[in-house]
Amino acid sequence: MTLFTILTSLLYVKSVLTGVIPFRFHRSSLTLELNSALLCFCFLVAIAGPTIQFGIYVSMLIKAFKRINVTFSYAVFMSFGDVFIFIVPPCYLLTQQTNVKQLYEIMKKLYQSPVLVDEFPVKVWFRKCLLFNLSYECAYSVNILCNVFLPGGASDPAYLQMLPWMVLSLLTKSTVLLLLYGAVQYVMMVAVKLQKLLTTPNISMGPVQQENIRQLHLGKYGYMEFYELLWKASQSINALFGVPLLAYLSGAFIHAISIYYVVCYKMLVGWSRYSSHLLFLGGLEFIWTNFDLMYLIIIVGACGKIREESRKTQKLLLRLNLNPMDHKLKQSIEVFVLQTLHQPLEFTACRMFTLDYTVLFSIAASVTNYLIILIQFEMAIDH
């Protein structure tokens, strides 16, 4: 077995064990088969991790707080929100088995299409996905180890009981993000390959050559059919990952506001009241929150880049249409342009907003606004 085969097998096993993939993969036929036992196991894993973590955390809070107050209620509310954010994405994917298989079949058709002629760099794509996943999980591992082994980090035995379930929940989340990132990267790399193919032919040829080029655009297994597969893949990704991405973006947004408020006001203003250990852990949590948000930004940025590539394809076809050519070929290119206009490659979060670079500025502006409001309230209370 090659290293590539071993790594893909390990990643598949990890996706099953973390409760995200309920399919048996048949390598000989490259097909997915839904397994009922795996499906039940995946639902159990996806629900058990966050739920047990929530139960242990609430028991810790009850011991720490003798009575219910605002701080206790806020901590329980935030913890319950985390349970919702961790459970919904994998469970939603598990209910979408038909769409998952449909997306897989579309991606397989793109890979086997005569248009690409086995030119898709599958190993480069897999390497990107693997590095994305490993770096995310390694950063979380460092955060956990610092919390456990620093002085006072593991003083409460309940924290150590909660730790395995925290890790399981995070592994499930990282697997969902990996699937989303992998699907988006796949579409982007195929879209870039299509652009390179469109710039290859020289249309200043005779009638026979121009007819051959027209068939490349309009014929069976031509560029238009290939582009339609790309559009179907983007629609399947929207249907599958809109809810998970919206949940993760909401969670990262709330966590960013909370940790920025604690670090920027509580610790920077009253740092002398905290021990060096707590200051270090606060800084570590600040770094992890930014790291988590950065990975979601990478995915959103990739979605925006695909949208830009789609527009580049449109402009490229329009430039081709300006050159002297046969009427039939000119008409075929015009039809292709209309197809790219009516079937744009774009991604949305449950059709609420388009995923592109403007979302990143909106998140930054919203976090800043809410942070200013919270600090103003805190300053007013202090005075």
Side-chain angles (χ1 to χ4, degrees), residues 261-274 279 375 378-379 382:
Y261 167 68
V262 171
V263 171
C264 293
Y265 186 80
K266 293 288 187 181
M267 289 192 169
L268 291 181
V269 175
W271 61 272
S272 57
R273 292 178 293 176
Y274 298 95
L279 288 172
I375 292 175
E378 186 71 25
M379 292 175 67
D382 289 343

Short mmCIF file of all heavy atoms in Angstrom, two decimals, residues 261-274 279 375 378-379 382:
data_model
loop_
_atom_site.label_atom_id
_atom_site.label_comp_id
_atom_site.label_asym_id
_atom_site.label_seq_id
_atom_site.Cartn_x
_atom_site.Cartn_y
_atom_site.Cartn_z
N TYR A 261 -14.03 40.76 24.69
CA TYR A 261 -14.49 41.59 25.80
C TYR A 261 -13.70 41.29 27.07
O TYR A 261 -13.23 42.20 27.76
CB TYR A 261 -15.98 41.36 26.03
CG TYR A 261 -16.50 41.93 27.32
CD1 TYR A 261 -16.57 43.31 27.52
CD2 TYR A 261 -16.91 41.10 28.36
CE1 TYR A 261 -17.04 43.84 28.71
CE2 TYR A 261 -17.38 41.61 29.54
CZ TYR A 261 -17.44 42.98 29.71
OH TYR A 261 -17.90 43.50 30.90
N VAL A 262 -13.52 40.00 27.37
CA VAL A 262 -12.79 39.61 28.57
C VAL A 262 -11.33 40.06 28.49
O VAL A 262 -10.79 40.63 29.44
CB VAL A 262 -12.88 38.08 28.78
CG1 VAL A 262 -11.95 37.64 29.90
CG2 VAL A 262 -14.31 37.68 29.10
N VAL A 263 -10.69 39.80 27.36
CA VAL A 263 -9.27 40.12 27.23
C VAL A 263 -9.05 41.62 27.12
O VAL A 263 -8.18 42.18 27.80
CB VAL A 263 -8.67 39.38 26.01
CG1 VAL A 263 -7.26 39.87 25.72
CG2 VAL A 263 -8.67 37.88 26.26
N CYS A 264 -9.85 42.28 26.27
CA CYS A 264 -9.60 43.70 26.00
C CYS A 264 -9.99 44.60 27.17
O CYS A 264 -9.37 45.65 27.38
CB CYS A 264 -10.38 44.14 24.75
SG CYS A 264 -9.77 43.37 23.25
N TYR A 265 -10.99 44.22 27.93
CA TYR A 265 -11.41 45.11 29.03
C TYR A 265 -11.01 44.56 30.40
O TYR A 265 -10.28 45.18 31.15
CB TYR A 265 -12.92 45.33 28.99
CG TYR A 265 -13.37 46.35 30.01
CD1 TYR A 265 -13.22 47.70 29.76
CD2 TYR A 265 -13.91 45.95 31.24
CE1 TYR A 265 -13.60 48.64 30.70
CE2 TYR A 265 -14.29 46.88 32.19
CZ TYR A 265 -14.14 48.23 31.91
OH TYR A 265 -14.50 49.15 32.85
N LYS A 266 -11.45 43.34 30.69
CA LYS A 266 -11.21 42.80 32.03
C LYS A 266 -9.73 42.64 32.32
O LYS A 266 -9.24 43.05 33.37
CB LYS A 266 -11.91 41.44 32.15
CG LYS A 266 -13.44 41.50 32.12
CD LYS A 266 -13.99 42.09 33.39
CE LYS A 266 -15.51 41.99 33.43
NZ LYS A 266 -16.07 42.57 34.66
N MET A 267 -8.99 42.02 31.37
CA MET A 267 -7.59 41.70 31.66
C MET A 267 -6.65 42.87 31.39
O MET A 267 -5.70 43.09 32.13
CB MET A 267 -7.17 40.47 30.85
CG MET A 267 -7.80 39.19 31.37
SD MET A 267 -7.07 37.71 30.66
CE MET A 267 -7.81 36.45 31.71
N LEU A 268 -6.91 43.62 30.32
CA LEU A 268 -6.01 44.74 30.02
C LEU A 268 -6.20 45.89 31.00
O LEU A 268 -5.24 46.56 31.36
CB LEU A 268 -6.25 45.23 28.59
CG LEU A 268 -5.81 44.27 27.47
CD1 LEU A 268 -6.06 44.89 26.11
CD2 LEU A 268 -4.32 43.91 27.60
N VAL A 269 -7.44 46.09 31.43
CA VAL A 269 -7.70 47.18 32.38
C VAL A 269 -7.35 46.78 33.81
O VAL A 269 -6.70 47.52 34.53
CB VAL A 269 -9.17 47.64 32.27
CG1 VAL A 269 -9.48 48.68 33.33
CG2 VAL A 269 -9.45 48.20 30.89
N GLY A 270 -7.79 45.59 34.20
CA GLY A 270 -7.55 45.15 35.59
C GLY A 270 -6.62 43.98 35.66
O GLY A 270 -6.88 43.03 36.41
N TRP A 271 -5.53 43.99 34.88
CA TRP A 271 -4.63 42.84 34.82
C TRP A 271 -3.95 42.54 36.15
O TRP A 271 -3.58 41.40 36.43
CB TRP A 271 -3.56 43.07 33.75
CG TRP A 271 -2.69 44.26 34.01
CD1 TRP A 271 -2.93 45.54 33.62
CD2 TRP A 271 -1.46 44.27 34.72
NE1 TRP A 271 -1.92 46.36 34.03
CE2 TRP A 271 -0.99 45.60 34.72
CE3 TRP A 271 -0.70 43.29 35.36
CZ2 TRP A 271 0.18 45.98 35.34
CZ3 TRP A 271 0.48 43.66 35.97
CH2 TRP A 271 0.92 44.99 35.97
N SER A 272 -3.80 43.56 37.00
CA SER A 272 -3.12 43.35 38.28
C SER A 272 -3.92 42.47 39.23
O SER A 272 -3.36 41.90 40.17
CB SER A 272 -2.84 44.70 38.94
OG SER A 272 -4.04 45.42 39.12
N ARG A 273 -5.23 42.34 38.99
CA ARG A 273 -6.07 41.52 39.87
C ARG A 273 -5.99 40.05 39.53
O ARG A 273 -6.54 39.22 40.25
CB ARG A 273 -7.53 41.98 39.77
CG ARG A 273 -7.78 43.37 40.34
CD ARG A 273 -9.22 43.79 40.17
NE ARG A 273 -9.55 43.98 38.76
CZ ARG A 273 -10.78 44.27 38.32
NH1 ARG A 273 -11.77 44.37 39.17
NH2 ARG A 273 -10.99 44.45 37.03
N TYR A 274 -5.35 39.69 38.42
CA TYR A 274 -5.30 38.29 37.97
C TYR A 274 -3.88 37.75 38.12
O TYR A 274 -2.89 38.48 37.97
CB TYR A 274 -5.73 38.18 36.51
CG TYR A 274 -7.16 38.63 36.27
CD1 TYR A 274 -7.44 39.93 35.86
CD2 TYR A 274 -8.22 37.76 36.45
CE1 TYR A 274 -8.73 40.35 35.63
CE2 TYR A 274 -9.53 38.18 36.23
CZ TYR A 274 -9.77 39.46 35.83
OH TYR A 274 -11.06 39.87 35.60
N LEU A 279 -3.78 34.95 33.40
CA LEU A 279 -3.50 35.83 32.26
C LEU A 279 -3.00 35.03 31.06
O LEU A 279 -3.38 35.28 29.92
CB LEU A 279 -2.45 36.88 32.65
CG LEU A 279 -2.93 37.98 33.61
CD1 LEU A 279 -1.76 38.83 34.05
CD2 LEU A 279 -4.00 38.84 32.95
N ILE A 375 -18.17 47.35 26.26
CA ILE A 375 -17.21 48.11 27.06
C ILE A 375 -17.84 49.40 27.59
O ILE A 375 -17.60 49.80 28.74
CB ILE A 375 -15.95 48.40 26.22
CG1 ILE A 375 -15.18 47.10 25.95
CG2 ILE A 375 -15.05 49.41 26.92
CD1 ILE A 375 -13.98 47.26 25.04
N GLU A 378 -19.96 48.46 30.52
CA GLU A 378 -19.12 48.13 31.68
C GLU A 378 -18.56 49.40 32.31
O GLU A 378 -18.52 49.52 33.54
CB GLU A 378 -18.00 47.21 31.23
CG GLU A 378 -17.13 46.67 32.36
CD GLU A 378 -17.86 45.65 33.21
OE1 GLU A 378 -18.80 45.01 32.71
OE2 GLU A 378 -17.51 45.51 34.39
N MET A 379 -18.13 50.34 31.50
CA MET A 379 -17.59 51.59 32.03
C MET A 379 -18.68 52.39 32.75
O MET A 379 -18.43 53.00 33.79
CB MET A 379 -16.97 52.41 30.90
CG MET A 379 -15.73 51.79 30.29
SD MET A 379 -15.10 52.71 28.87
CE MET A 379 -14.59 54.22 29.66
N ASP A 382 -19.22 50.79 36.14
CA ASP A 382 -18.11 51.08 37.04
C ASP A 382 -18.20 52.51 37.62
O ASP A 382 -17.90 52.74 38.80
CB ASP A 382 -16.78 50.90 36.33
CG ASP A 382 -16.47 49.44 36.05
OD1 ASP A 382 -17.12 48.58 36.69
OD2 ASP A 382 -15.60 49.15 35.19
#
